[in-house]
Amino acid sequence: MWDKDRLRSEFVYRKSKIANLTRLKYRNAYDAIIDNLSNSLNFIVPSQVSRKQLGNYRENYLEGLRRSRYAFVDGSAAKFFVAKYVEIPASGALMVGETCYGLKEMGFVPGIHMVEASVETMGDVIAYINDNPEKMQTIASNAQKLVTQKHTFRDRAKSIKRSCEKILAGTFGGSHWENGDYIVDELK
């Protein structure tokens, strides 16, 4: 079940990030959707949201990414590798944001696949992005290439299949990520 205290703390964290970005006059076309949804913690609880509502939200989110030149990403207060670290580059947008646990292991290198920035440095970073469009396009293209080569649904299915085969053979010794590759460790 959902831990309401954790959701509430994540909500407060996210709202503070949005407030800082707004103060810097950084907004995108879909902030209104996020604001409407995040005014209530209930939007996260699946029993209170229809499949159609979730589908509409998802489509609006993805359309917003496709129309964006760049998008800010962070791994929440816990600094986790979340789906946005793959979704933003997959859309072709430049990923701008904070690094997180597992980013390097997933193959993403700041300066090559993303522009590292915090909310506090966002104003300077946006100016840098606007002054260097060719370099930023190269970084966005590098990230999109990484995602299409190593982070597709097909890649995830292959990873699960390899793990299941090793489990069934009794040789599964765990797994880990290394430079964007999923490695299955074998028992000796």
Side-chain angles (χ1 to χ4, degrees), residues 48-173:
Q48 297 182 9
V49 178
S50 72
R51 281 178 104 50
K52 184 177 179 181
Q53 287 171 311
L54 287 173
N56 288 341
Y57 170 75
R58 182 88 179 135
E59 273 309 307
N60 287 336
Y61 167 71
L62 293 174
E63 180 60 27
L65 286 180
R66 286 189 287 271
R67 295 183 353 184
S68 298
R69 287 181 38 219
Y70 49 85
F72 184 78
V73 63
D74 70 2
S76 77
K79 303 284 186 223
F80 286 138
F81 186 90
V82 295
K84 288 185 289 186
Y85 284 97
V86 175
E87 293 165 344
I88 291 169
S91 74
L94 175 66
M95 182 167 49
V96 181
E98 299 173 347
T99 59
C100 66
Y101 301 115
L103 189 69
K104 178 183 171 195
E105 291 78 5
M106 297 301 279
F108 293 93
V109 178
I112 296 174
H113 302 103
M114 70 177 289
V115 175
E116 191 171 0
S118 67
V119 173
E120 294 75 27
T121 63
M122 187 59 72
D124 293 335
V125 171
I126 290 172
Y128 180 77
I129 289 168
N130 290 332
D131 290 343
N132 296 282
E134 295 85 15
K135 183 175 183 176
M136 298 305 111
Q137 183 57 56
T138 299
I139 292 171
S141 296
N142 290 342
Q144 189 174 43
K145 183 177 178 182
L146 174 68
V147 168
T148 59
Q149 289 179 343
K150 297 188 176 191
H151 297 295
T152 64
F153 287 117
R154 180 172 294 213
D155 295 317
R156 292 294 92 75
K158 288 178 184 177
S159 300
I160 293 168
K161 181 181 178 191
R162 283 197 316 270
S163 292
C164 290
E165 289 170 348
K166 297 296 180 188
I167 290 168
L168 291 172
T171 60
F172 183 75

Side-chain angles (χ1 to χ4, degrees), residues 9-17 74 76-77 79 98:
S9 68
E10 183 65 27
F11 174 76
V12 170
Y13 173 81
R14 180 74 48 209
K15 288 303 257 187
S16 72
K17 291 281 186 171
D74 70 2
S76 77
K79 303 284 186 223
E98 299 173 347

